[in-house]
Amino acid sequence: MKNYNYLLVVLTIICFFKSNAQSLGTTSSKHFEIGAYYPMIIGDKVENKFNNIYNGIIGVDFKYTVKKLPFINFKIGSTFDLLKFDKDSNIEGASIRLNPNVMVGLDLSKIVRLEPYIGVGYSFVFDNGSIESSSWDTTWDDPFFNTNEEKYSDSSQNIFYKIGLNYKLFKLMYVDTHIHLVNVFNKPDISEISGSQLKQSILNIGIGIHF
C-alpha cells in the first residue's frame, strides 16, 4: 500500500502540471524533448555487495516543459528502458522499465548552455525470460545431469530518484546524462538476491532533440 501511495503522489503532481500548462506558459516555444540513450548499469547492490544482474540495451526519454521561470524549468516526462539479464544471473531474458517522473531544472543556457536537474518518479519493472536448472538424475543405471528450462515472469514497482545534466549542443540538439536510483523488489528466483532487496543505479548517457 505504501508503494501505491507514492504512485498516487507522483500522478497527482503530473496531473496538476498538465492541467495548468496553458496558464503557466513558457518563455520558449520549445516545450518538448525526445532522446535516446544507453542505460549503463553501474550498481546492482545487494546488502552492500555488487552483483551483475542486468545489462543495458537502450532507453528512450520524453520530457515536456510546463513552466519556465528565470533560470528554473519545471518538467514532466517518462523514460522507457530495455535491459537484459546478465549471463551470471541464472536467467535468460529481458527487463522492461517504464518510469514516469517530474523534474526541476536550473536553466543556465544563457550562460553556459547547461541545465542541471533533479527528478522523482515511479518505476514499473516487467521481467520476462527463462530459468535453466540442472539436477543429478540417479533413476537410471547410468546417472546423468537433467536440464530443465522454466518460464520466468515478474513485475514490481517502486519510487525512484534521478539527478542529471543537459547540455545544448546546437539549436535543436542536446546531450543528456543522468543517474537513475531505484530499489527493485526482491527477486526470489535469482539466487544471488533471494530474500534481499536489490538497489540499482543506472547511468544513462544519450542524445536528443528539443522542439
Side-chain angles (χ1 to χ4, degrees):
M1 182 61 67
K2 182 179 179 181
N3 297 309
Y4 290 104
N5 289 336
Y6 282 132
L7 176 60
L8 181 61
V9 171
V10 173
L11 291 178
T12 301
I13 294 174
I14 291 176
C15 291
F16 171 79
F17 279 132
K18 186 175 180 181
S19 64
N20 288 277
Q22 291 184 343
S23 61
L24 290 173
T26 66
T27 58
S28 171
S29 60
K30 297 180 179 63
H31 296 180
F32 296 94
E33 299 174 33
I34 298 178
Y37 56 84
Y38 174 68
M40 183 186 305
I41 310 298
I42 59 175
D44 282 335
K45 193 173 183 181
V46 183
E47 295 181 353
N48 297 320
K49 296 181 180 179
F50 287 95
N51 299 268
N52 295 324
I53 307 298
Y54 296 96
N55 290 318
I57 298 178
I58 193 172
V60 179
D61 186 21
F62 169 79
K63 301 187 187 79
Y64 176 72
T65 302
V66 295
K67 174 67 174 179
K68 190 176 181 71
L69 297 174
F71 298 106
I72 299 292
N73 291 330
F74 295 92
K75 302 180 181 182
I76 59 174
S78 184
T79 59
F80 177 86
D81 301 334
L82 178 60
L83 311 176
K84 64 180 180 179
F85 285 98
D86 189 85
K87 62 181 180 179
D88 296 329
S89 68
N90 198 37
I91 296 179
E92 183 176 349
S95 179
I96 296 174
R97 312 287 177 87
L98 181 63
N99 311 300
N101 59 96
V102 294
M103 294 151 284
V104 178
L106 180 61
D107 187 0
L108 304 177
S109 59
K110 294 182 179 180
I111 305 174
V112 289
R113 297 187 180 182
L114 290 176
E115 183 187 11
Y117 62 89
I118 57 175
V120 62
Y122 208 77
S123 183
F124 297 88
V125 181
F126 305 95
D127 293 342
N128 286 281
S130 59
I131 302 176
E132 186 177 280
S133 61
S134 59
S135 59
W136 187 251
D137 193 334
T138 59
T139 59
W140 301 86
D141 293 336
D142 185 14
F144 63 93
F145 273 108
N146 185 27
T147 301
N148 297 313
E149 188 174 274
E150 299 179 358
K151 290 185 178 181
Y152 171 75
S153 180
D154 186 36
S155 62
S156 59
Q157 54 277 325
N158 213 328
I159 194 170
F160 74 91
Y161 309 92
K162 70 177 183 179
I163 180 170
L165 184 66
N166 185 294
Y167 177 74
K168 305 297 187 297
L169 278 177
F170 308 108
K171 185 176 181 180
L172 297 177
M173 187 175 293
Y174 64 85
V175 173
D176 186 276
T177 179
H178 66 269
I179 295 178
H180 179 113
L181 306 170
V182 64
N183 289 339
V184 182
F185 286 171
N186 174 40
K187 307 287 185 183
D189 295 306
I190 305 178
S191 58
E192 291 89 342
I193 61 175
S194 180
S196 302
Q197 189 177 71
L198 169 65
K199 296 183 178 180
Q200 192 169 74
S201 303
I202 306 176
L203 176 62
N204 299 311
I205 303 174
I207 194 168
I209 60 174
H210 50 91
F211 56 95

